[in-house]
């Protein structure tokens, strides 16, 4: 059988029209099989070959059998013989068969083109539908679509209409600023729109002398996706320089006017002093003979003073101003002992012991060990030094001690904050401690004397009294003396070192209760020397410069 004369192309086209999923590759595969010698023996072999390559289901087999019988078996170009007999083509039908094959090829090509267009159309529609559902499922970040206004003019309104969009239609957009100059304000109108506006004034030019200002805007959606827009606002250089020059000129003029008025005021004051001096001469009780020479000398001195003032003003020489006699400096350092001196004195109140882990280097012992051993093996460490002194300040409050409240407060402050003591407590009493001491100056928080003393270690307690002991009123009170002596006897049984600081000078003690109390306890007057002596007693020095 001659395969080249068979109407295979027409059969292939009919099967495509019938709905079989055939392409050009299937047709080429059939031709390649025929060239290899398969299916060319008879029509039955050809039918089996086509079914093997093209048919995939029973429905397709039924359609194939129909069209194969119609085109191949009924073709007049083949001999109507037995299925096993070969088929011989007629030469007279060759031109008609060639024309028919060309028509079938053209039809097959058109069909293939239309099939591919449909496939492309399906792919495009699928892509668009997929993008739509992708936008619904995936949140996309918003984007700024407006272009920033990058130039501003001095004294004119700067306006930038901001616009941002989001492909997710239902997202709510919020526009904020990350960085902006103080003269700009942002108004968020919602729906991805906002307005950035402001006026760059001359005052702003002085406070923020920049020619370029950085701005950063941020837009966010409800899913916290964001976009940032950064740009710089530049000022018009010509207008900016002109305004800066005008402002500098205004400042210079103000300074010159101030200097001129100041010089004129000084000159006017000198003239007024001369006029006052001249008028004061008329009020003096001087004789007529002495009045004229005196007036001449006074006027000559005043003329000399006026001339020197005018010369100094014209030459613009800076002269040193003499302090007026009534001028003074406001200060609280008018006590006999300053705050700094108090702190220095308190630091001498020490009872040093070494306690704790060895963390400090003993230099002398380490050097001796090196000399003895001839080699440095390890340093010698000792525990750190600690000040174990516990100070109790007993301060007389109110009554005759009212003028000395400020000094008592300063004494307490320097002892607590600058004394470097282990503990410093202040207690108050009035005239004499009897049963209770008070933790506050208004006598509201009472504490028994036994509880106060027992709360400290007796070997480290020192007590300092601050009271006038009756010297301020200049009287002698036997009851006060007796109560004070009883309290001192009670205190000495528990405290080793006691001293008394009296704000009144020693010359005022005579004939008062203070003079008698001073015989029972070391008492010193309020001065730097007296404070040092009192602290020396508290340190354990029996003399301490004490004099009865």
């Amino acid at each position: 059988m001659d395969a080249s004369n068979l109407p295979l192309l027409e059969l292939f086209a009919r099967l495509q029209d019938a709905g079989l999923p055939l392409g050009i590759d299937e047709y080429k595969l059939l031709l390649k099989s025929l060239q290899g010698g398969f299916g060319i023996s008879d029509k039955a072999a050809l039918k089996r070959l086509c079914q093997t390559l093209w048919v995939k289901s029973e429905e397709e087999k039924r359609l194939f059998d129909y069209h194969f019988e119609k085109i191949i078996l009924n073709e007049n170009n083949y001999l109507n013989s037995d299925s096993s007999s070969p088929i011989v083509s007629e030469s007279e039908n060759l031109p008609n068969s060639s024309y028919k094959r060309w028509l079938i090829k053209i039809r097959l090509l058109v069909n293939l083109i239309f099939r591919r267009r449909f496939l492309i159309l399906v792919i495009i529609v699928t892509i668009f539908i997929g993008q739509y559902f992708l936008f619904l499922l995936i949140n996309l970040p918003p984007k700024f679509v407006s272009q920033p206004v990058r130039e501003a003019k001095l004294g004119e309104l700067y306006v930038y209409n901001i616009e941002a969009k989001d492909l997710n239609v239902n997202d709510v957009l919020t526009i904020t600023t990350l960085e902006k100059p103080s003269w700009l304000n942002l108004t968020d109108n919602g729906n991805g729109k906002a307005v950035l506006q402001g006026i760059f004034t001359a005052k702003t030019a002085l406070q923020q002398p920049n020619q370029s200002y950085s701005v950063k805007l941020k837009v966010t959606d409800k899913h916290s996706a964001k976009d940032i827009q950064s740009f710089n606002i530049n000022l018009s250089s010509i207008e900016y320089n002109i305004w800066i020059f005008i402002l500098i000129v205004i400042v210079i003029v103000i300074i010159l006017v101030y200097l001129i008025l100041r010089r004129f005021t000084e000159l006017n004051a000198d003239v007024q002093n001369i006029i006052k001096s001249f008028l004061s001469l008329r009020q003096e009780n001087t004789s007529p003979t002495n009045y004229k020479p005196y007036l001449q000398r006074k006027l000559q001195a005043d003329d000399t003073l006026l001339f020197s003032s005018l010369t100094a003003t014209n030459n613009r020489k800076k002269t040193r101003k003499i302090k007026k006699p009534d001028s003074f400096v406001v200060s609280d350092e008018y006590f006999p002992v300053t705050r700094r001196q108090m702190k220095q004195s308190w630091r001498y109140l020490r009872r040093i012991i070494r306690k704790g882990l060895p963390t400090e280097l003993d230099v002398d012992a380490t050097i001796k060990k090196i000399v003895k051993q001839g080699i440095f093996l390890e340093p010698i460490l000792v525990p750190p030094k600690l000040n174990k002194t516990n100070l109790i300040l007993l301060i007389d409050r109110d009554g005759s001690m009212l003028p000395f409240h400020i000094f008592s407060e300063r004494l307490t402050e320097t002892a607590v904050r600058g004394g470097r003591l282990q503990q410093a407590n202040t207690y108050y009493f009035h005239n004499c401690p009897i049963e209770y001491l008070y933790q506050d100056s208004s006598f509201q928080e009472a504490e028994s004397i036994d509880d106060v003393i027992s709360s400290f270690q007796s070997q480290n307690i020192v007590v300092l009294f601050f009271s006038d002991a009756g010297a301020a009123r200049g009287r002698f009170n036997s009851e006060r003396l007796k109560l004070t002596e009883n309290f001192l006897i009670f205190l000495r049984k528990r405290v080793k070192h006691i001293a008394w600081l009296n704000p009144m000078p020693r010359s005022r003690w005579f004939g008062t209760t203070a003079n008698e109390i001073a015989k029972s306890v070391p008492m010193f007057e309020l001065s730097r020397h007296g404070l040092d002596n009192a602290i020396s007693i508290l340190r354990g020095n029996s003399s301490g410069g004490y004099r009865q």
Side-chain angles (χ1 to χ4, degrees):
M1 181 181 67
D2 190 1
S4 61
N5 295 325
L6 294 176
L8 297 177
L9 190 59
E10 182 180 359
L11 175 63
F12 183 79
R14 291 289 181 87
L15 292 175
Q16 276 189 333
D17 294 340
L20 268 70
L22 300 178
I24 193 67
D25 293 334
E26 284 77 3
Y27 183 74
K28 288 182 179 180
L29 183 60
L30 176 64
L31 294 179
K32 189 174 181 180
S33 299
L34 292 173
Q35 291 175 1
F38 298 96
I40 60 175
S41 59
D42 53 18
K43 292 181 180 180
L46 178 63
K47 183 177 181 180
R48 286 194 301 271
L49 177 63
C50 291
Q51 286 180 344
T52 303
L53 297 178
W54 293 349
V55 176
K56 301 294 188 297
S57 64
E58 291 295 330
E59 181 65 24
E60 291 179 358
K61 182 176 182 301
R62 186 180 62 80
L63 293 174
F64 174 79
D65 292 340
Y66 171 78
H67 288 288
F68 188 83
E69 293 290 337
K70 185 177 180 181
I71 296 173
I72 301 298
L73 297 181
N74 295 329
E75 182 63 37
N76 295 325
N77 293 333
Y78 304 97
L79 294 175
N80 190 8
S81 62
D82 184 78
S83 62
S84 62
S85 63
I87 301 173
V88 180
S89 62
E90 297 180 358
S91 59
E92 60 268 20
N93 293 329
L94 286 178
N96 188 22
S97 298
S98 177
Y99 174 75
K100 194 174 182 179
R101 284 197 302 270
W102 278 108
L103 289 178
I104 293 174
K105 286 182 180 180
I106 293 172
R107 183 180 176 184
L108 179 63
L109 181 62
V110 171
N111 192 11
L112 182 62
I113 291 173
F114 277 101
R115 282 174 178 269
R116 289 190 177 183
R117 284 185 179 177
F118 178 76
L119 180 62
I120 293 172
L121 182 62
V122 171
I123 293 173
I124 293 174
V125 172
T126 304
I127 290 174
F128 276 105
I129 294 175
Q131 287 182 349
Y132 176 76
F133 283 103
L134 188 66
F135 291 157
L136 295 179
L137 297 176
I138 300 176
N139 179 58
L140 298 176
K143 296 290 182 182
F144 283 100
V145 297
S146 59
Q147 295 298 324
V149 180
R150 302 178 182 272
E151 185 176 354
K153 293 184 179 180
L154 198 63
E156 296 184 6
L157 179 65
Y158 170 87
V159 178
Y160 170 34
N161 294 314
I162 306 167
E163 185 176 359
K165 290 187 177 180
D166 196 336
L167 294 178
N168 302 105
V169 182
N170 296 326
D171 276 356
V172 178
L173 302 183
T174 304
I175 299 177
T176 57
T177 57
L178 297 177
E179 180 182 354
K180 70 176 182 66
S182 59
W183 53 275
L184 287 178
N185 296 316
L186 179 70
T187 303
D188 189 2
N189 298 326
N191 297 326
K193 294 184 179 180
V195 179
L196 183 67
Q197 60 184 355
I199 300 176
F200 185 77
T201 61
K203 182 179 179 181
T204 308
L206 286 178
Q207 295 176 351
Q208 304 175 0
N210 299 326
Q211 203 164 352
S212 179
Y213 296 89
S214 177
V215 178
K216 284 187 179 181
L217 303 176
K218 182 178 76 171
V219 57
T220 56
D221 59 11
K222 62 182 181 181
H223 301 287
S224 300
K226 63 181 179 179
D227 184 29
I228 295 177
Q229 185 181 64
S230 301
F231 60 93
N232 291 330
I233 300 177
N234 300 318
L235 296 176
S236 179
S237 59
I238 298 177
E239 293 185 0
Y240 181 83
N241 295 333
I242 291 175
W243 276 98
I244 291 296
F245 175 78
I246 293 173
L247 291 174
I248 293 174
V249 171
I250 292 173
V251 172
I252 293 174
V253 170
I254 292 174
I255 293 174
L256 292 176
V257 170
Y258 170 76
L259 294 176
I260 292 172
L261 292 176
R262 184 177 177 181
R263 293 293 183 183
F264 178 79
T265 304
E266 292 176 355
L267 179 61
N268 191 22
D270 293 337
V271 174
Q272 289 179 0
N273 291 333
I274 294 173
I275 294 174
K276 289 180 181 179
S277 300
F278 177 75
L279 293 176
S280 64
L281 294 176
R282 301 181 62 181
Q283 298 176 0
E284 295 181 0
N285 296 324
T286 55
S287 60
T289 56
N290 296 331
Y291 181 79
K292 187 174 181 180
Y294 176 78
L295 181 60
Q296 290 177 352
R297 290 194 304 271
K298 189 68 176 176
L299 290 175
Q300 186 177 0
D302 292 339
D303 290 341
T304 304
L305 178 62
L306 178 60
F307 178 78
S308 61
S309 299
L310 291 173
T311 304
T313 304
N314 292 332
N315 295 335
R316 296 181 180 179
K317 293 181 179 179
K318 293 182 179 180
T319 59
R320 183 181 177 185
K321 291 185 178 181
I322 301 174
K323 267 190 176 181
K324 296 181 180 179
D326 57 347
S327 63
F328 61 92
V329 178
V330 178
S331 174
D332 59 350
E333 295 292 353
Y334 54 86
F335 294 111
V337 187
T338 64
R339 184 183 284 105
R340 182 170 179 271
Q341 291 172 346
M342 288 182 186
K343 290 182 179 180
Q344 291 175 347
S345 299
W346 284 123
R347 289 170 187 171
Y348 282 101
L349 183 57
R350 296 178 296 180
R351 185 171 288 108
I352 303 298
I353 64 170
R354 291 189 178 274
K355 186 177 181 181
L357 297 176
T359 57
E360 292 186 0
L361 176 65
D362 190 344
V363 179
D364 294 336
T366 304
I367 293 175
K368 290 180 181 178
K369 184 177 180 181
I370 294 173
V371 173
K372 182 179 180 180
Q373 296 179 353
I375 186 173
F376 175 70
L377 297 177
E378 61 179 354
I380 297 178
L381 302 178
V382 294
K385 293 181 178 180
L386 298 177
N387 187 5
K388 302 297 290 183
T389 303
N390 295 322
L391 173 66
I392 298 178
L393 268 174
L394 300 181
I395 297 177
D396 190 0
R397 190 77 176 180
D398 294 340
S400 59
M401 287 295 293
L402 187 63
F404 308 105
H405 282 181
I406 297 178
F407 184 83
S408 63
E409 293 172 358
R410 182 170 299 182
L411 196 67
T412 303
E413 175 191 352
T414 54
V416 173
R417 296 185 180 180
R420 300 178 182 176
L421 305 171
Q422 182 182 16
Q423 192 172 359
N425 289 9
T426 304
Y427 296 93
Y428 299 91
F429 64 93
H430 182 59
N431 289 340
C432 176
I434 301 176
E435 294 182 2
Y436 296 96
L437 295 174
Y438 298 89
Q439 298 180 6
D440 61 317
S441 58
S442 57
F443 303 107
Q444 299 296 321
E445 300 178 9
E447 188 173 354
S448 65
I449 297 175
D450 291 333
D451 293 340
V452 172
I453 301 301
S454 60
S455 61
F456 297 92
Q457 297 180 2
S458 60
Q459 65 271 20
N460 298 325
I461 299 177
V462 293
V463 177
L464 177 64
F465 286 85
F466 180 68
S467 173
D468 67 323
R473 301 188 186 275
R475 294 186 304 211
F476 177 80
N477 189 331
S478 58
E479 184 180 1
R480 181 173 184 174
L481 175 61
K482 184 178 180 181
L483 292 174
T484 303
E485 287 179 346
N486 292 337
F487 179 72
L488 290 174
I489 293 171
F490 166 80
L491 201 59
R492 282 197 181 96
K493 295 179 181 178
R494 294 164 176 80
V495 180
K496 188 175 181 181
H497 304 293
I498 304 172
W500 195 298
L501 197 62
N502 197 322
M504 299 301 296
R506 188 178 295 274
S507 60
R508 296 283 301 274
W509 299 357
F510 182 75
T512 64
T513 312
N515 191 40
E516 299 299 323
I517 295 176
K519 298 176 181 180
S520 303
V521 63
M523 185 180 293
F524 306 93
E525 62 182 0
L526 178 58
S527 65
R528 175 66 184 277
H529 183 66
L531 181 60
D532 290 341
N533 288 336
I535 291 177
S536 180
I537 293 294
L538 298 179
R539 291 183 62 187
N541 299 332
S542 58
S543 60
Y546 170 63
R547 299 186 292 112
Q548 288 189 2

